[in-house]
């Protein structure tokens, strides 16, 4: 999903993508940094700077965005979850930056509220209902037989809304 988000922004013509990451101690946070890094490398782009980490909250997204937006030439940011993306939108607004005119933004999770952000948030959808169903199935298998599938991967989906656009020239 992180690769998909980064590739979407690069595909729009952004020279690079900055990243507001989740906690370094969370598997999801680490894997999203890996996906972002791999997408940049596959495009022959060096990471513009180290990701700035948050704690999944809107407040931490706001604080991280303030740091990222101090950098020169930021036109695209991939944020590791939609709550931190909401904080990022707030920081952009305070700094007088318009999304996506000045900075394009992609979140992750597709919270039900994401389409009602202003602008509607482009994000990576995870099917949480299916994740829950599969988790219960695996748990029942483990309880009944003592073993379960080692890993189940559910493909994410890019949901394009109004928060991304080609960079202004």
């Amino acid at each position: 999903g992180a690769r998909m988000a980064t590739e979407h922004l690069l595909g729009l013509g952004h020279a690079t993508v900055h990243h507001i990451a989740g906690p370094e101690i969370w598997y999801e946070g680490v894997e999203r940094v890996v996906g972002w890094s791999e997408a940049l490398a596959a495009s022959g782009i060096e990471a513009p700077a180290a990701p700035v980490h948050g704690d999944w909250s809107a407040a931490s997204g706001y604080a991280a965005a303030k740091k990222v937006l101090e950098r020169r030439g930021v036109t695209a940011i991939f944020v590791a979850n939609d709550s931190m993306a909401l904080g990022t939108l707030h920081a952009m607004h305070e700094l007088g930056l318009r999304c996506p005119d000045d900075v394009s933004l992609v979140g992750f999770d597709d919270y039900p509220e994401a389409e009602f952000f202003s602008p509607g948030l482009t994000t990576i959808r995870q099917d949480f209902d299916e994740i829950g169903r599969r988790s219960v199935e695996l748990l029942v298998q483990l309880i009944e037989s003592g073993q379960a599938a080692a890993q189940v991967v559910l493909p994410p989906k890019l949901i394009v809304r109004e928060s991304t656009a080609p960079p202004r020239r």
Side-chain angles (χ1 to χ4, degrees):
R3 279 188 79 136
M4 194 179 292
T6 306
E7 289 166 353
H8 171 68
L9 290 164
L10 294 173
L12 289 171
H14 294 276
T16 193
V17 177
H18 294 260
H19 184 37
I20 296 175
E24 294 177 275
I25 60 170
W26 282 60
Y27 174 78
E28 295 86 348
V30 171
E31 287 300 302
R32 290 175 194 168
V33 170
V34 169
W36 164 75
S37 299
E38 288 177 351
L40 291 175
S43 296
I45 300 169
E46 235 179 88
V52 178
H53 292 270
D55 65 9
W56 303 123
S57 70
S60 74
Y62 170 83
K66 290 281 198 155
K67 292 176 184 172
V68 169
L69 293 167
E70 289 174 350
R71 301 172 182 166
R72 287 183 51 115
V74 175
T75 66
I77 304 173
F78 161 53
V79 184
N81 82 340
D82 291 349
S83 289
M84 291 193 304
L86 179 60
T88 300
L89 282 170
H90 186 68
M92 289 171 58
H93 176 75
E94 277 190 0
L95 294 169
L97 298 170
R98 294 168 300 155
C99 181
D101 298 340
D102 299 313
V103 179
S104 284
L105 187 65
V106 176
F108 203 107
D109 290 328
D110 194 26
Y111 289 174
E113 299 83 7
E115 69 179 299
F116 300 105
F117 288 12
S118 185
L121 183 65
T122 296
T123 186
I124 301 296
R125 176 177 291 159
Q126 297 190 92
D127 187 343
F128 289 111
D129 292 337
E130 185 63 18
I131 290 169
R133 274 192 291 283
R134 295 278 184 97
S135 297
V136 170
E137 287 173 9
L138 292 172
L139 180 60
V140 169
Q141 284 177 11
L142 188 59
I143 291 168
E144 290 178 349
S145 70
Q147 50 187 327
Q151 184 178 14
V152 175
V153 177
L154 299 175
K157 181 178 180 185
L158 175 68
I159 306 298
V160 178
R161 296 194 180 102
E162 297 81 30
S163 68
T164 57
R168 287 192 310 185
R169 299 286 174 210

